[in-house]
Amino acid sequence: MVLSRLLFSLLNNQQLIEKLAESRPIRRAAQITAFAITKAQITGRDAAAKMLKSETLQQIRQETTGKIPRDPGELARRARRVRDTFVNEVKEGLRDASRQVKNKDK
């Protein structure tokens, strides 16, 4: 109880907050936080752009723009094509990732 009152009074002291904000560790923590947020945003944009360019997504769009076939055989063929494209993209992604790891180690 005493500790919480002490912390409350320190956090409500405007001069102390200003001095802490100007201190080197707090500024550095803010820089690291801003860097991490910016890096995450860039990575997210890159991943979204890569996904929109993916052959699987394009194929799914193409397959769904037409009528949905009533014939189970045609539906199975379409599903198989989408699955094969997806599997190929996953394999390519794994190859790219392993190449990046190998190049990073060199």
Side-chain angles (χ1 to χ4, degrees), residues 19-33:
K19 282 186 179 182
L20 282 173
E22 294 171 0
S23 70
R24 183 174 169 87
I26 299 296
R27 284 185 306 176
R28 185 66 180 146
Q31 286 175 341
I32 291 170
T33 303

Side-chain angles (χ1 to χ4, degrees), residues 54-66 78-79 81-83 85-86 89:
S54 80
E55 292 176 27
T56 304
L57 185 62
Q58 291 174 2
Q59 189 173 7
I60 289 172
R61 283 183 181 162
Q62 184 182 25
E63 297 289 339
T64 57
T65 55
R78 285 186 181 185
R81 282 195 309 248
V82 170
R83 184 198 65 201
T85 305
F86 177 74
E89 282 194 24

Side-chain angles (χ1 to χ4, degrees), residues 79-99:
R80 193 176 315 113
R81 282 195 309 248
V82 170
R83 184 198 65 201
D84 292 343
T85 305
F86 177 74
V87 168
N88 288 337
E89 282 194 24
V90 169
K91 287 178 182 178
E92 285 179 32
L94 288 173
R95 278 189 225 114
D96 290 343
S98 66
R99 278 189 222 119

